[in-house]
Amino acid sequence: MGEDGARRPPGTWIRALVLHTTRGIPGGRDLRPQKILPGLGPARRTARATNQWWSSNGTCAGAHLLVDFDGTVACFADLVTEMTYHATSVNAHTIGIEIAQGPNAELWEGQLDAVVHLVDWLTARFDIQRQIPDLYRGSLARLREGGRDVVGVYGHRDQSAMRGEGDPGNEVFRRLGDVGYEPFDFGSGADRMAWRPRQRLLGVADDGVAGPMTCNAIRAFQRNHELPETGLADAATRAILERVDEPV
Ligand SMILES: [Zn+2]
């Protein structure tokens, strides 16, 4: 429904990934704690069932990708050219990723590992800086108002007051933090405050929003410092950026 399959506006800069859980538990009236089970979950064809549900029900949401209990990744829409109806205000310029959640609020360790691999691949492919919310602070006005200045990986819960803490829960963000995703208080604009001096050093407009020009400047900076040219401000790149004296 809604924007499912609608074309993105031509030339859209895809600037963020939005993580979800299919049941959003804990949330709403179901406040059972999210359970993280060892290994991989059963191959239950959640992807197929979800696709049938989204295809047959006119009032439910969609997403581009779903990570099933067993770590299988299913893709339902063209990531570049199509929108999906997963997080209202930010749909036009984000990719939606559902994490299949069991009926008793369960997710699996191996499934979450697959989500981290997928997010790593997508951030590299789309030049999306690896930054995440530092904490769950309820839905953020910046995102409700369109999120055009928010780059990175965030949750449905950060965008919408209609979803609870469990969409997608803390565990997936903890794992992304463990592999180097930079935590920011997006609500206070801490991400933009961190990026402005970096952009001045890189010689691009210092609006605090790390877009395509910033990523290209990071690649040139990395080339000059014999770092892998990823375009992403990883820890090694930041360490050098923050040592360089700001030009006068
Ligand atoms: Zn959601």
Side-chain angles (χ1 to χ4, degrees), residues 1-8 18 20 50 54 57-65 76-78 82-98 156 159-160 162-163 167:
M1 77 158 258
E3 290 133 339
D4 279 338
R7 309 295 284 183
R8 294 190 194 272
V18 184
H20 304 252
T50 303
W54 285 345
N57 182 313
T59 61
C60 65
H64 293 86
L65 296 156
F76 302 114
D78 188 294
E82 291 179 316
M83 286 194 268
T84 58
Y85 187 70
H86 64 97
T88 58
S89 57
V90 300
N91 289 340
H93 48 259
T94 61
I95 292 170
I97 303 171
E98 287 281 358
H156 196 186
Q159 181 273 331
S160 171
M162 307 295 288
R163 304 295 298 174
D167 193 355

Side-chain angles (χ1 to χ4, degrees), residues 121-227:
W121 187 87
L122 290 167
T123 49
R125 167 63 181 78
F126 288 96
D127 274 359
I128 297 170
Q129 296 299 322
R130 290 177 174 160
Q131 46 196 28
I132 53 176
D134 60 344
L135 292 171
Y136 174 47
R137 298 167 186 274
S139 77
L140 305 177
R142 282 173 80 188
L143 294 174
R144 291 196 306 272
E145 290 161 9
R148 302 195 75 79
D149 64 354
V150 183
V151 172
V153 185
Y154 51 83
H156 196 186
R157 66 186 187 176
D158 303 303
Q159 181 273 331
S160 171
M162 307 295 288
R163 304 295 298 174
E165 177 191 333
D167 193 355
N170 297 330
E171 189 63 21
V172 70
F173 288 112
R174 190 183 66 72
R175 284 160 180 268
L176 291 169
D178 285 350
V179 296
Y181 285 61
E182 210 180 359
F184 284 114
D185 175 0
F186 285 112
S188 74
D191 52 320
R192 293 186 68 174
M193 298 208 302
W195 272 99
R196 284 194 176 105
R198 294 176 188 172
Q199 289 175 315
R200 286 195 288 274
L201 287 164
L202 292 164
V204 296
D206 61 342
D207 61 358
V209 183
M213 301 282 281
T214 301
C215 295
N216 287 336
I218 291 171
R219 259 188 281 278
F221 180 88
Q222 289 169 325
R223 190 179 318 131
N224 290 337
H225 292 85
E226 296 180 359
L227 292 167

